[in-house]
Amino acid sequence: MSVLTSPRGKAEVVHCRRTESQDIFCIKSLIRKFTQKLFGRLNIIYLLEKANLAVTLCNDKEEIMAHAIFLDYPNWNVAKQDDWVSLFQELDSEIPCTPLNTLFMHFFVAVDEYSTGCLKEIIRTVFKAVPELYFIFLIVPTYVSLGSTLITVFDQVGNIPCLTYDEDFAVHICHRHDHYPQLHIRKARVEDHDDLMPIFMHYDNTLREIYGEYFLAELIEAQDEENHAVVCEVEGKAVGFMSVCSSVNLPLLHECFDLGPFHGFCVPHPDDLLEPLKESSSIQESQDTEIKSDSQGSQKVAEEPGVFASSEAIVETQEKESEESSFEDMLSGTFSRLSDEMQDVEQKFSVISVVGDEDLTLSSESSLPSFLIPEESSHFRPIYLGESAAFCIQLFCIDEKYEARSLDFMSFVFSLFPHKNFCLISVPHLTPEFVLIQNFVKVVPFSNCTLEHDLYVFHRAGLLRSIKIRLANFVDTAGVENLVSTLVLSRKILDDFAQYNEACRDPDGTALQVFVAEVAKQIVGIAVIRKEMDIEYIRSHYNIEDFIYFSHHQQEEHGRLHHFALNPIFRHYTKFFLKEILRLGYKSCLYYPVYPQSRDSKLQNSSAHSLTSALHYLVPVRPRRQIVYPLEKLGINAPSKEVSKDQSSYALNHTNRKLTLEPKVTVNARIVVVGASSVGISFLETLVFCSHLKFNNLTLISTHGLPGKKLLGSEQRKFLASDHCFNDKDYALMSLCSWVNVVVGRMTGIDRAAKRVVVSGNETVFYDHLILCTGQQYQVSAETRRGH
């Protein structure tokens, strides 16, 4: 909260929040004639539907004081929304504006008495909410002055003509450094102790109780080549602290986490053992022919000669922006393929562990989809003999006011370890996800991991800001093939890519678009979208209007996401990738269906899409209860075939322009549900459909697995008790397997002190929250004695 003071001395306590639909009436009351001269006559509801970010400023009585709308393309029709970058770069070559670091103000209103203070507070909030943002442009007609309010934060940089009629418009700019600047990072000094201790004590005093009152000064004094302490400072005062160390317990991490996608955080060595020996894995070979292990894809990448050979020399040139192209070898050597990324994704879709008797294991595994069986069932762990390529963050703390700039630390700490490419940090499961680790990649733990921490990793190349999203072309063929070559559905992705290059549409005429993400002249991501042809079916069968006003979106603005793959070291750019797809593709909404799988591991729909690492950045849409229409009796009054047609059920996920800059709250707490009863399924459904929350550790323990996955045959399932609250179609519409890990087995004990449950007598599952909802059980009633 902030305090604004009017010229007459009146004070108001204000705070910023996201704009809501019920704010529209009050916003309209703030519009003046001068507002229309600046921004034109606007439909506020329509503009809010298409805005990337809309901010409302309220006082302590929740009265609206000001409002602003920001989009990722210019207003007043001075440039096409997919082609404005070159035009604005020509205005001033010293302003390196890109779609990543630029937004445009399309609308602003405020209470007259507090307008200047409201504007500055909104601008500061926007820069804080979007760390990648560095420039905000404002475009107005040249014959209109900015007025006494807007001129306080915007400076004119030039004029540009209108595309449709003969008139010039003035371009004004607002810079980040004037409102919420980057932090200055330097090595810590002992005299920083007094500035930093209040920040530490604000969060916790555990460290002082364990190590003494001057633990921080001792830590700063103990710096050497392997241990460093750095601070961020504002106006000469330290406001944040980070302690980093090059000593990492890699053997422990290898035991507890799947480090295959990152080559074990080690430098490649010719004697690395990356796959089991053929002599010792003869039993496994028959399975391997059927199961395409994603980790083996990464092993092939690592085995390529000279894969990492040039990365050491390349790292030294990182800070030279003019030589960003030198990262090409690093990217190709480290993550040129996505097989390992998909292993992470597939485990999120349903990591099914089968425990218990041998007969249960065999009967269950034989019916599982091949890509759902975790690789760790082979108990093989790669052996890495190279030197460690990682350092870790031991201690981190920053003042809340500057938390949004936490990533400013990373460039400096990587410079302290020029030969290390990975930065690691581990946090307890119950720790809320703070801003810094939102840019990290969460490492997938093995099912037998006993550590009480989550592990996150950040790669050096993730600091690059030169990522560019564009439409694909034929020249990208080799890069796309290299990117997706080891994915399960790589053939379908490449076929769509070829079809786009040939005709930009399917044989049936459906519009097709393919976008690629490019960094340092290398393809690091690909997305395939089509025009959504079943939009009326979606509107009638799903609660899509919980997220959009349907009437404000044209039919051609709805797209279906078919494939999405992004290099894991750039995963923190996923939302930017989606935002650019919408801008460049002239779309306002994207839909991603998840089709169920049949018992024989085949997708029920031939057009089913590949798995996507972007799933957590989409929101699941609840299905709508359907009316059973007597079509023959209704005759001409029956609903259209688009609404009443019978097609394969699927779970729908969605994103739109309003959600591209909307953060989700991540919950890493281990929530274990015992029993696939109606209560247990309903509980998981409630968590999954919380659009503003992202649950990373949901686990279901069930004797027969997740209902709807058809681990048992249809005849066997008839003998299971059911209250018919959910049927197979309901399970398909929820797609719980996309969000919930499943352990097939029977809970035989609970250790409340250690917070773990025992499954099938010998396996353990750890929890932070345990939900017991076993449902009705078969009971053999005891005979009652007849009275004499």
Side-chain angles (χ1 to χ4, degrees):
M1 289 189 178
S2 303
V3 178
L4 302 182
T5 304
S6 71
R8 294 190 296 174
K10 292 177 60 178
E12 286 279 3
V13 178
V14 298
H15 65 277
C16 285
R17 60 170 173 80
R18 301 271 174 161
T19 302
E20 301 172 355
S21 57
Q22 56 263 34
D23 298 335
I24 293 175
F25 178 78
C26 295
I27 292 171
K28 288 182 177 180
S29 67
L30 297 176
I31 297 178
R32 307 286 186 265
K33 289 184 178 180
F34 179 68
T35 307
Q36 294 182 354
K37 290 181 179 180
L38 283 174
F39 302 104
R41 293 184 178 181
L42 301 173
N43 184 332
I44 303 302
I45 301 177
Y46 177 82
L47 194 59
L48 285 174
E49 278 297 295
K50 302 302 175 69
N52 297 102
L53 182 61
V55 180
T56 296
L57 190 74
C58 301
N59 60 15
D60 54 356
K61 299 177 183 178
E62 287 301 316
E63 297 172 340
I64 295 178
M65 304 286 292
H67 169 75
I69 297 177
F70 302 89
L71 279 81
D72 54 3
Y73 59 86
N75 55 340
W76 284 113
N77 199 23
V78 297
K80 295 181 179 180
Q81 74 176 52
D82 62 337
D83 186 24
W84 59 263
V85 177
S86 58
L87 176 64
F88 281 79
Q89 288 178 344
E90 290 174 1
L91 282 176
D92 191 337
S93 58
E94 296 183 359
I95 302 177
C97 59
T98 66
L100 177 64
N101 63 23
T102 303
L103 285 177
F104 296 84
M105 177 182 280
H106 279 230
F107 186 72
F108 172 77
V109 290
V111 174
D112 294 336
E113 191 173 358
Y114 298 91
S115 58
T116 301
C118 289
L119 175 63
K120 292 182 178 180
E121 183 65 20
I122 285 179
I123 293 295
R124 190 186 70 84
T125 300
V126 170
F127 279 123
K128 184 176 180 180
V130 189
E132 300 86 7
L133 182 65
Y134 281 85
F135 310 107
I136 297 177
F137 282 100
L138 172 64
I139 302 171
V140 299
T142 52
Y143 61 84
V144 179
S145 64
L146 285 185
S148 59
T149 299
L150 292 170
I151 202 170
T152 59
V153 298
F154 287 96
D155 300 314
Q156 186 170 351
V157 292
N159 296 331
I160 54 178
C162 180
L163 293 178
T164 54
Y165 50 90
D166 187 17
E167 184 176 346
D168 287 344
F169 289 84
V171 179
H172 302 263
I173 191 172
C174 174
H175 295 270
R176 163 182 286 279
H177 58 73
D178 294 327
H179 300 273
Y180 196 74
Q182 281 186 273
L183 300 176
H184 172 63
I185 312 298
R186 59 169 173 81
K187 293 290 290 289
R189 300 187 289 261
V190 176
E191 51 265 32
D192 296 323
H193 176 272
D194 293 341
D195 293 334
L196 295 171
M197 282 307 296
I199 303 176
F200 276 94
M201 294 304 103
H202 174 72
Y203 291 101
D204 195 3
N205 60 356
T206 304
L207 291 172
R208 185 171 65 176
E209 293 176 354
I210 297 176
Y211 299 107
E213 185 172 358
Y214 298 103
F215 76 92
L216 191 58
E218 295 171 357
L219 184 63
I220 295 174
E221 285 184 330
Q223 294 183 76
D224 53 30
E225 292 184 357
E226 294 187 354
N227 299 274
H228 298 277
V230 299
V231 299
C232 60
E233 69 174 15
V234 175
E235 297 179 353
K237 179 180 178 181
V239 296
F241 175 83
M242 180 180 287
S243 172
V244 291
C245 176
S246 62
S247 177
V248 179
N249 190 349
L250 288 183
L252 177 62
L253 298 182
H254 289 164
E255 291 179 9
C256 297
F257 296 93
D258 179 13
L259 305 184
F262 313 102
H263 199 79
F265 302 138
C266 294
V267 177
H269 189 278
D271 296 329
D272 288 342
L273 184 61
L274 303 175
E275 56 186 1
L277 299 176
K278 293 183 179 180
E279 294 79 11
S280 62
S281 59
S282 58
I283 300 177
Q284 196 81 17
E285 286 182 357
S286 60
Q287 268 189 350
D288 291 340
T289 59
E290 182 178 349
I291 302 174
K292 186 174 183 180
S293 174
D294 291 291
S295 65
Q296 291 177 358
S298 65
Q299 293 158 9
K300 293 175 183 177
V301 174
E303 289 173 352
E304 293 176 3
V307 162
F308 285 81
S310 60
S311 64
E312 298 298 330
I314 292 168
V315 169
E316 298 176 0
T317 67
Q318 176 187 3
E319 295 183 2
K320 301 179 181 179
E321 296 181 359
S322 61
E323 300 181 16
E324 282 186 347
S325 60
S326 64
F327 273 95
E328 293 179 28
D329 296 335
M330 178 189 293
L331 295 178
S332 62
T334 310
F335 293 105
S336 61
R337 299 181 183 177
L338 287 180
S339 59
D340 305 301
E341 165 71 351
M342 294 310 296
Q343 180 179 0
D344 180 11
V345 176
E346 289 166 1
Q347 293 208 25
K348 289 180 180 177
F349 263 68
S350 183
V351 180
I352 299 185
S353 302
V354 183
V355 298
D357 299 332
E358 290 183 0
D359 57 345
L360 173 62
T361 303
L362 294 174
S363 63
S364 299
E365 284 194 359
S366 62
S367 61
L368 287 177
S370 61
F371 70 91
L372 295 181
I373 301 175
E375 180 217 351
E376 61 187 278
S377 60
S378 66
H379 301 292
F380 172 75
R381 300 285 190 274
I383 299 176
Y384 305 100
L385 302 178
E387 295 181 359
S388 170
F391 65 93
C392 65
I393 298 175
Q394 292 182 313
L395 197 58
F396 173 72
C397 190
I398 191 170
D399 192 311
E400 288 180 353
K401 293 189 339 187
Y402 306 99
E403 185 181 12
R405 300 304 310 171
S406 299
L407 199 62
D408 293 343
F409 275 100
M410 299 309 299
S411 179
F412 188 86
V413 296
F414 269 110
S415 69
L416 299 176
F417 300 103
H419 302 297
K420 306 284 187 182
N421 288 332
F422 299 98
C423 177
L424 311 180
I425 185 172
S426 65
V427 296
H429 296 300
L430 296 180
T431 301
E433 190 176 77
F434 45 94
V435 174
L436 178 66
I437 60 174
Q438 289 175 0
N439 298 282
F440 283 55
V441 177
K442 187 172 182 289
V443 183
V444 178
F446 289 126
S447 61
N448 60 352
C449 176
T450 58
L451 291 182
E452 296 292 323
H453 286 66
D454 289 311
L455 181 64
Y456 292 83
V457 59
F458 187 90
H459 191 272
R460 178 187 295 271
L463 294 170
L464 290 174
R465 294 289 184 267
S466 59
I467 184 169
K468 179 183 179 182
I469 314 299
R470 57 173 175 81
L471 285 167
N473 54 55
F474 184 78
V475 180
D476 302 322
T477 302
V480 172
E481 289 178 350
N482 187 48
L483 182 74
V484 304
S485 60
T486 52
L487 297 188
V488 176
L489 293 182
S490 60
R491 188 69 265 160
K492 295 195 69 171
I493 298 176
L494 294 175
D495 288 345
D496 286 343
F497 178 76
Q499 183 65 32
Y500 169 76
N501 283 325
E502 180 180 346
C504 293
R505 60 185 63 250
D506 288 328
D508 62 0
T510 304
L512 173 67
Q513 291 177 304
V514 178
F515 298 90
V516 294
E518 185 180 43
V519 176
K521 299 181 180 180
Q522 180 171 339
I523 304 300
V524 298
I526 184 172
V528 178
I529 68 170
R530 287 177 168 86
K531 179 182 177 181
E532 180 54 71
M533 304 302 293
D534 289 332
I535 191 60
E536 290 299 329
Y537 178 87
I538 288 176
R539 185 183 185 185
S540 61
H541 285 71
Y542 299 88
N543 287 324
I544 192 63
E545 291 182 284
D546 288 347
F547 302 99
I548 62 173
Y549 283 109
F550 195 86
S551 59
H552 290 282
H553 298 263
Q554 302 297 321
Q555 185 168 354
E556 59 271 13
E557 291 182 310
H558 298 275
R560 173 170 291 201
L561 182 64
H562 275 251
H563 308 289
F564 185 97
L566 183 63
N567 191 309
I569 62 177
F570 300 106
R571 188 189 292 176
H572 53 291
Y573 288 133
T574 299
K575 297 189 79 169
F576 170 68
F577 197 170
L578 294 172
K579 181 170 76 74
E580 282 294 274
I581 290 173
L582 294 173
R583 181 181 70 88
L584 298 173
Y586 287 86
K587 304 296 183 185
S588 59
C589 300
L590 285 180
Y591 305 92
Y592 179 77
V594 178
Y595 288 89
Q597 288 194 317
S598 59
R599 189 170 180 268
D600 59 359
S601 304
K602 294 182 180 180
L603 295 167
Q604 291 182 4
N605 192 295
S606 59
S607 63
H609 311 345
S610 64
L611 301 179
T612 173
S613 58
L615 189 66
H616 272 310
Y617 298 92
L618 310 178
V619 294
V621 184
R622 282 187 178 273
R624 299 179 64 176
R625 296 184 64 182
Q626 296 299 302
I627 299 174
V628 180
Y629 294 100
L631 299 179
E632 296 180 358
K633 293 182 180 180
L634 290 175
I636 61 173
N637 297 318
S640 65
K641 293 182 180 179
E642 286 75 13
V643 173
S644 60
K645 66 180 179 181
D646 186 20
Q647 66 176 28
S648 299
S649 300
Y650 55 82
L652 184 67
N653 300 275
H654 164 76
T655 190
N656 58 59
R657 296 184 64 86
K658 293 184 295 184
L659 298 176
T660 53
L661 295 178
E662 182 79 25
K664 280 188 177 183
V665 178
T666 300
V667 180
N668 284 327
R670 296 168 298 183
I671 301 174
V672 176
V673 178
V674 179
S677 64
S678 297
V679 175
I681 297 300
S682 181
F683 173 78
L684 290 171
E685 178 192 21
T686 301
L687 298 186
V688 164
F689 282 99
C690 288
S691 59
H692 63 288
L693 298 177
K694 180 174 69 173
F695 292 92
N696 282 334
N697 288 323
L698 296 178
T699 302
L700 173 68
I701 300 175
S702 173
T703 307
H704 300 288
L706 187 66
K709 293 303 291 181
K710 299 184 180 180
L711 296 184
L712 302 176
S714 58
E715 294 300 322
Q716 294 170 297
R717 295 169 67 204
K718 292 179 181 179
F719 290 91
L720 297 180
S722 174
D723 57 7
H724 303 288
C725 286
F726 300 98
N727 55 34
D728 285 350
K729 184 175 181 180
D730 295 325
Y731 293 124
L733 293 172
M734 288 188 288
S735 186
L736 290 181
C737 62
S738 302
W739 314 96
V740 181
N741 302 320
V742 179
V743 177
V744 181
R746 183 183 298 276
M747 184 187 72
T748 57
I750 302 176
D751 186 344
R752 288 180 170 82
K755 283 198 167 186
R756 64 181 183 178
V757 297
V758 182
V759 182
S760 298
N762 56 357
E763 299 290 338
T764 59
V765 177
F766 291 87
Y767 67 86
D768 296 308
H769 305 285
L770 181 63
I771 315 297
L772 300 177
C773 40
T774 55
Q776 295 178 341
Q777 305 290 316
Y778 286 110
Q779 300 287 339
V780 179
S781 58
E783 294 185 0
T784 57
R785 293 185 178 181
R786 296 181 179 179
H788 296 285

